[in-house]
Amino acid sequence: MAKFQTWWRRGSGFVWFSGATLALSLLMIGGLVGYIAVKGLGFFWPTPLVQAMTPDGPVLGEISGHEKAQGEDAAKIQFHVGNRDVYGQDFRWIPKTALHDFSTPADAVLVERLEYGPFIGRVKSLEQGGQPIAQGEAALAAIGARLSDAINLQRTIHRIEKKDVGALNSQIEALRIEQHRLELKGADTSQLAVKSRQLQTSYDAAESRLAALRAEAGAVTVTLATADGQTKTLPLAAIVRMVPANALGVFGKSRIYLSRLWEFLWDDPRESNTEGGIFPAIFGTVMMVLIMSILVVPLGVMASLFMREYAKQGWLLRTLRVAVNNLAGVPSIVFGVFGLGFFVYGLGGSIDKLLFADKLPTPTYGTGGILWASLTLALLTVPVVIVATEEALASVPRSQREASLALGATKWQTIRNVVLPGAAPGILTGLILAMARGAGEVAPLMLTGVVKLAPSMPLDGSFPFLHLDRKFMHMGFHIYDVGFQSPNSEAAKPMVFMTAFLLLMVVVILNLFALRLRSRLRARAGGGGAF
Amino acid sequence: MTRSISYKGVAKRLDRFMAWFISLGGMTIIAAVLGILLFIGKEAYPLFLSPHSKALATAALPPSSALAPDETGRALATLDAAQGVRGFTVDGGHPLPPAANGPALPWRTHTSVDGKGGFAVLGADHRLSFGRLTWDKPGQTTDPAQWAPVAKWDGAFPVGDQLGTLLSVRTLAASGLAGGESWRVVALDPGGALRWAEFTSEDATPVDDSDSAAPETPVAKAAAPAAPAQWRALSLPDGQHPTCARLSADGKAVFAGTREGSVLFFNLGEDGAPATLAASVPFPEPVSALGFALGQNALLVGGERGGLAAVQALHQDGKTVLQEFHRFPKLDGPVLGFMASQRDKRFLSFSASMVAVDHLTTERRLFSATGQGFKDAALSARGDFIFAQDGTGALRTWSLDAPHPEISSRILWGKVHYEGYRKAEYVWQSSGGTDDFEPKLSLMPLVFGTMKGTFYAMIFALPLAILGALYTSQFATPRLRDTIKPLVEIMAALPSVVLGFLAGLVLAPLFEKSAVSVLLMPLATLLVALALVPVWVRMPKWFRLRWGNGREVAWLLPTMLLGLLVAAWVAPAFERIFLAGDFRAWLLQSHGYTYDQRNSIVVGFAMGFAVIPIIFTISEDALSAVPRSLTSASLACGASPWQTAWRVVLPTASPGIFSAVMVGLGRAIGETMIVLMATGNTPVMEWNPFNGMRTLAANIAVETPEAPAHGTLYRLLFFTALLLFALTFILNTVAELVRQHLRKRYESF
């Protein structure tokens, strides 16, 4: 008892309490990152396809959830049965007591396809022009052999649609606007009619080529059967991947895993963002952060140089400094609202009236776009860069500055050759922190130009290559949209986890990098005053 | 030599240029960053400007008894018993081609023109016709001199001598496949009693025998056998004499005003059943005029002594109640009539010597003008032009500029009685499904939601952050400190989208399923820790030295985990024994709280993630900045580390901790994405922790993309952004000043 009393009187209980709260915080962080990592990364690993018998017939699918008995509800198992076009819903909760005869049949396949989500069942036959050329097991092997060709064909079709026909469409559109402009002026449009006919001929040629390719793609079809016997025939070109999950070994599963990961990072989304990849979102995020950085570094460095080197150090400057620093704490949505009012409606509207009047009332710059979004985020992150740069400029030892001045250099030469290089790592830290903040902020983007699905990217092959008026996709907004505004949020959840994990990784790595840099700088500055 | 001198010259010029460039650039950027506040203020301030009116030119027109301006307010149609429908331009009063082919002149009685251009006329031949007024603008010309009013007439119904004064007409849409339009009419008979009748288009006779625009009705050019209409009585209580009446929007009820000072509500019976008096409300003066505001839900009542009020009929539990829910500033003299704007809830009321425009919801007077002998007045459809005509026909015109009449400080901050509500309440509902929706723009639910979210976030975050910072700076070993600090910085870097997503899609369902285990967790971990204490104190000293003294966190982590698992394991039994098997039912029965899946506890937890690292970092800095000499002195005097921390370090660093809390508050107030995703975004005003909320920031994010540019809602959202900006700015400035003061205080140590 005496020991307990000593322990208590020392206040060790409260020390434990405070340690426990810290432990809780650490658990929270670890739990969050770990949970996202597991859910996200685990998504691509092929799970076994389980078949069981129910009173209504056999059910085949991945086991995606368990629920314990609660009150009157019995214990349930959730099956991901896929086949949205056949069954109407792809997830099913079945009471445990109704299930028996579990098995993992080796010929069960999960077929990822372009529409309606995955198909889970068995391969019945492979047909060409309606005639079966392989059945059952042989069909699976034959499909494997032909699938890559079919996918390439599909890619060619897609490329012609997007690039060639797309380019023709934009030329036709430009021609129409030119025609409209000339009509308004009352000038002659007959030359344009010739060009219009030429474009129309090229368009028809491209369309006929596409029709031929599509017919070729549709010639080979696959018939699949569900667990309860319903069949579905699809063209081979509509299949993205065949996963005979139960027949794969670790090596096979790893290959599927890597292939899915690759698709996630480099392909376009399908099925309203619940399947496929997030490449446009990654690209949009990267582009926006790049443009934002290009804007924010000169602005921040110039403002910091002004405040530290050129302005008179009085109470006004101190107040200004406090004001600018506090802007870092202002909610990001306020910046978003400012971006909408000033950039989009104000500047954008004026630019439209001056330069794009013939396209009105369709706005070009008078609506959200990547330029306005980047500008808004640049304003948002300028205080971060200013703070970091000021710290960096202050850490350059006075002795170095004075030495440079003593040697006859002007103030600007000193800044350019001594101060800025010395402060460069600190400025870099500020830039990295700004980039991390910009990559993670979503609220201001929602108002200034991010969309669920962008028809084209801000950087593409058509002149002028960099389209700053286009809307773009963003990983953070992707998480919000797919998670909360998706028609099928159960199917979308794994995608969202993976996107969240990617975003988290990017932001965490950037921050860790910046922190390392900063602590190294601080150590160097602390010991570097030896001059 | 010359070359080096010119190099120096170049360098000097460059230096001067760069000094100028950087100064200009720097000042511009700082001004731009601070100018955000100015821009937002500039967008928001038109909300609070007073309405502005201007008297326009007068014109001399022939006298008339009803005015109907066109949409643009540049031409006017008049109804006159002697001359029928005529048109004039407002500017100069030039006559326009009159509408032809009306009922026989001179008209015996007619109603005024309603918002959609409909009116009714009893012609000289005792036949009742219904007209619809439109404007013919050939080739979309904008010159009013080329416009002409057009009246389309329907159904002349013979009514005999039973009609005295026409009061109100309502067109009922065709019902069923074979039916045509029908009309209900309320009128005073020659004896002054109130009567009503229904007319269907099948019983109609052509309005005008020479009407050549209807070739599809070849029948009955001959004299139509006139069956007089069936007029049914509306019997008022004894001693009450009706002065005016209006049919409700659906034509199934009649509001009547009496000379004795009351407003009565009658339900017209269906299929021949007699009308019944369903409700009444007293009015302090004899009623002289009735009208409707946009939406036909609010009945405007005007009295003999100029009193103005709005009355609504509320139907609850099968009963009808009439309720006066707005009162407006008085007019000079008896109120003669009303006209409502078709765009928002403003309406015109006029007496013989005064014309006024008021707004229904705010009860504000937007415009008033005095004169003499006004016989009629009208308000253009957009509510921007006001016309008044006196007995001689002289027309006075005013323009009214009131772009945001729905906003007043009482609307934003006080309780308002809206249409369809039983009493004044705080409501935020900015848009609805119809054009005549009454926007409910009270900021109180949003401010309340912000406070609620911040409160629950702070309850969760403050203890964790401050105690955690205390442990890290005072008790943890340096190595542990170096591991913990980067981890917390990572927590600070987490994008709030990810936090919101987890809270909304993972935590909320999890919490719903196992609410009890989550609520039991603190208790369970406490018990587990308490169970460890007797074991700990009996351990040998080397063990306690090795694992205590700053390394407690290492083994407290698994202990906490164990506590969580114990809570999860015990929860079902707990729920069964103490809460009768169902937590949500128990909550509803014993506390009356409903349980939403996305509620404040989930939000508090998620916002904690966002706020804890900020408070932790700043507090930890403040606690570590307490001079070593103080802590050493305390320890030297024999105090334990906890006593030192609690009684010496914490009070000394309290300004820093205070500033940390301020910054954390600022972050919690402005957090958007987490609130957007983890709450139901419903603007409720309840402290129930199992309920959602809508904060100012989330409201901006949700409503701005759909607010019409430069409209009332748009400017109001800018105003709320300004509020957020100001609030967080003030909080952060206070925190910064406190921190600077603290830094100065400890410089000397």
Side-chain angles (χ1 to χ4, degrees), chain B residues 409-416 418 425-427 442-444:
Chain B
S409 56
R410 203 170 63 96
I411 290 278
L412 292 180
W413 305 112
K415 289 195 179 185
V416 179
Y418 297 102
E425 289 181 24
Y426 297 113
V427 183
S442 173
L443 289 182
M444 290 308 284

Side-chain angles (χ1 to χ4, degrees), chain B residues 585-657:
Chain B
W586 171 81
L587 201 61
L588 191 58
Q589 273 162 11
S590 52
H591 292 275
Y593 284 157
T594 47
Y595 184 92
D596 288 339
Q597 192 196 64
R598 295 196 183 149
N599 53 44
S600 322
I601 298 196
V602 172
V603 168
F605 186 74
M607 282 231 263
F609 262 97
V611 166
I612 285 175
I614 296 177
I615 303 181
F616 182 97
T617 321
I618 304 180
S619 305
E620 207 269 333
D621 278 343
L623 288 164
S624 304
V626 171
R628 266 301 145 97
S629 43
L630 284 178
T631 42
S632 310
S634 168
L635 290 168
C637 289
S640 68
W642 172 258
Q643 286 170 326
T644 309
W646 187 248
R647 295 193 196 207
V648 176
V649 179
L650 204 54
T652 316
S654 50
I657 297 184

Side-chain angles (χ1 to χ4, degrees), chain A residues 408-483:
Chain A
T410 61
K411 186 161 184 179
W412 168 246
Q413 284 175 327
T414 309
I415 291 178
R416 204 181 112 196
N417 298 317
V418 176
V419 177
L420 278 182
I427 298 176
L428 193 62
T429 311
L431 173 64
I432 296 174
L433 286 174
M435 282 166 68
R437 178 124 191 239
E441 285 290 348
V442 176
L445 295 179
M446 277 167 47
L447 304 179
T448 46
V450 77
V451 283
K452 176 191 179 84
L453 192 64
S456 47
M457 297 208 274
L459 192 69
D460 65 6
S462 57
F463 187 79
F465 308 120
L466 182 67
H467 305 266
L468 289 173
D469 55 325
R470 284 200 184 150
K471 301 194 202 292
F472 63 107
M473 292 168 71
H474 185 268
M475 281 199 284
F477 183 74
H478 203 85
I479 295 174
Y480 169 68
D481 181 74
V482 179

Side-chain angles (χ1 to χ4, degrees), chain B residues 269-415:
Chain B
E270 292 296 317
D271 302 324
T276 52
L277 174 65
S280 73
V281 74
F283 192 70
E285 310 160 6
V287 175
S288 59
L290 290 177
F292 278 114
L294 179 70
Q296 323 277 315
N297 290 318
L299 179 79
L300 304 166
V301 181
E304 286 279 321
R305 296 192 280 275
L308 282 177
V311 161
Q312 63 174 345
L314 291 172
H315 308 280
Q316 50 201 81
D317 309 324
K319 283 196 314 171
T320 308
V321 167
L322 274 185
Q323 182 194 54
E324 180 185 309
F325 70 124
H326 283 301
R327 194 153 264 280
F328 306 97
K330 287 190 160 208
L331 284 184
D332 255 347
V335 178
L336 295 175
F338 296 100
M339 188 175 275
S341 153
Q342 295 302 305
R343 176 178 270 185
D344 54 24
K345 299 277 181 187
R346 72 180 86 175
F347 63 92
L348 171 111
S349 51
F350 69 98
S351 69
S353 51
M354 192 162 159
V355 175
V357 174
D358 299 303
H359 192 271
L360 179 73
T361 323
T362 60
E363 298 177 10
R364 249 170 80 195
R365 179 140 290 178
L366 302 173
F367 166 85
S368 72
T370 50
Q372 275 182 341
F374 288 133
K375 289 287 291 300
D376 201 14
L379 183 66
S380 69
R382 291 189 200 131
D384 46 3
F385 288 101
I386 298 147
F387 306 92
Q389 193 183 40
D390 65 16
T392 65
L395 182 77
R396 288 173 69 183
T397 321
W398 297 268
S399 72
L400 175 64
D401 180 31
H404 308 293
E406 313 85 350
I407 300 286
S408 70
S409 56
R410 203 170 63 96
I411 290 278
L412 292 180
W413 305 112
K415 289 195 179 185

Side-chain angles (χ1 to χ4, degrees), chain A residues 41-96:
Chain A
L41 289 175
F43 168 48
F44 298 129
W45 189 258
T47 40
L49 296 169
V50 175
Q51 178 166 309
M53 285 302 290
T54 66
D56 300 319
V59 66
L60 174 66
E62 298 173 333
I63 294 187
S64 50
H66 294 263
E67 213 172 72
K68 288 203 300 254
Q70 239 194 4
E72 290 161 4
D73 301 324
K76 296 193 284 234
I77 295 185
Q78 186 189 39
F79 272 86
H80 177 210
V81 294
N83 311 347
R84 207 178 298 151
D85 44 348
V86 178
Y87 294 146
Q89 32 148 264
D90 32 354
F91 287 89
R92 228 189 263 176
W93 283 101
I94 307 180
K96 241 189 201 164

Side-chain angles (χ1 to χ4, degrees), chain A residues 318, chain B residues 738-749:
Chain A
R318 262 186 286 132
Chain B
V738 165
R739 250 193 299 177
Q740 282 189 357
H741 177 73
L742 195 67
R743 231 176 274 160
K744 275 221 197 83
R745 220 206 312 169
Y746 290 120
E747 252 168 21
S748 50
F749 277 93

Side-chain angles (χ1 to χ4, degrees), chain B residues 26-58:
Chain B
M27 281 194 283
T28 315
I29 290 159
I30 294 176
V33 164
L34 296 177
I36 292 177
L37 180 66
L38 290 172
F39 178 79
I40 296 181
K42 166 187 160 272
E43 287 289 318
Y45 108 100
L47 278 183
F48 302 104
L49 291 175
S50 321
H52 181 71
S53 68
K54 205 168 60 159
L56 302 175
T58 54

